[in-house]
Amino acid sequence: ILNVEQSPQSLHVQEGDSTNFTCSFPSSNFYALHWYRWETAKSPEALFVMTLNGDEKKKGRISATLNTKEGYSYLYIKGSQPEDSATYLCAFSTDSWGKLQFGAGTQVVVTP
Amino acid sequence: AAGVIQSPRHLIKEKRETATLKCYPIPRHDTVYWYQQGPGQDPQFLISFYEKMQSDKGSIPDRFSAQQFSDYHSELNMSSLELGDSALYFCASSPRNERNTIYFGEGSWLTVV
């Protein structure tokens, strides 16, 4: 994998259901994997920065895992709520200077 | 809490004109990044500055230039605008002791007509 790929491109979730989606990234020259939550007309909100293989991070009902050897990260949303509706972007960096390579995002729509 | 401030939020320019976007990082953040997101595209890294010096350069056209000033704010100057420059331009900043934590502004929408 040469680029950051996210799947699915979009998903619709019923309120209360849990969901997850994937970010795949180059496994070589890995430094960090970032997850952002982005609502239209707002600034992307940093959710997690993960650097170590096997990292698991949690923020409320949202959690993420990281596998640097195989080059993927999962983002999980437990008990989805309408306010979770957003585009979730992942980004990969090869050094500490913050130059990020973004995926196209997964658009999540949570319906009541 | 203070966030990254970008101005203007929306800008409409004609082809061949010049545009300037401004970015005010979070206080005490010394690194500023610029990203460009064209319609239906991923955000692409343009350029970054650390302590007023260019620290990295991405796919920034020669028609574009940027700098970081003594108060750490940054400006992206775009000349000879083309229709393809229409995009959302994000600025982001990070603090010296936690450079891997990057905070984004809301973006500036540039439309070239």
Side-chain angles (χ1 to χ4, degrees), chain A residues 41-77:
Chain A
K42 295 185 179 180
S43 56
E45 173 196 355
L47 291 174
F48 307 113
V49 181
M50 295 185 289
T51 57
L52 299 176
N53 184 45
D55 251 357
E56 290 188 26
K57 298 227 174 175
K58 187 176 180 182
K59 186 176 182 179
R61 294 178 290 98
I62 301 176
S63 59
T65 60
L66 178 67
N67 183 321
T68 60
K69 293 183 179 179
E70 296 182 38
Y72 65 83
S73 174
Y74 291 125
L75 192 88
Y76 301 88
I77 305 176

Side-chain angles (χ1 to χ4, degrees), chain A residues 4-112:
Chain A
V4 179
E5 297 174 359
Q6 292 188 246
S7 64
Q9 187 174 0
S10 65
L11 60 93
H12 290 252
V13 186
Q14 203 68 23
E15 182 177 358
D17 287 350
S18 297
T19 189
N20 65 84
F21 37 94
T22 309
C23 172
S24 300
F25 53 87
S27 53
S28 60
N29 298 321
F30 174 86
Y31 183 80
L33 193 283
H34 303 243
W35 280 103
Y36 286 88
R37 179 178 178 277
W38 185 29
E39 289 183 73
T40 305
K42 295 185 179 180
S43 56
E45 173 196 355
L47 291 174
F48 307 113
V49 181
M50 295 185 289
T51 57
L52 299 176
N53 184 45
D55 251 357
E56 290 188 26
K57 298 227 174 175
K58 187 176 180 182
K59 186 176 182 179
R61 294 178 290 98
I62 301 176
S63 59
T65 60
L66 178 67
N67 183 321
T68 60
K69 293 183 179 179
E70 296 182 38
Y72 65 83
S73 174
Y74 291 125
L75 192 88
Y76 301 88
I77 305 176
K78 183 179 178 182
S80 303
Q81 299 297 309
E83 58 264 33
D84 296 326
S85 297
T87 296
Y88 291 81
L89 293 166
C90 77
F92 160 81
S93 62
T94 57
D95 58 42
S96 64
W97 284 94
K99 176 181 172 181
L100 302 179
Q101 184 177 347
F102 279 89
T106 293
Q107 184 180 21
V108 174
V109 177
V110 181
T111 50

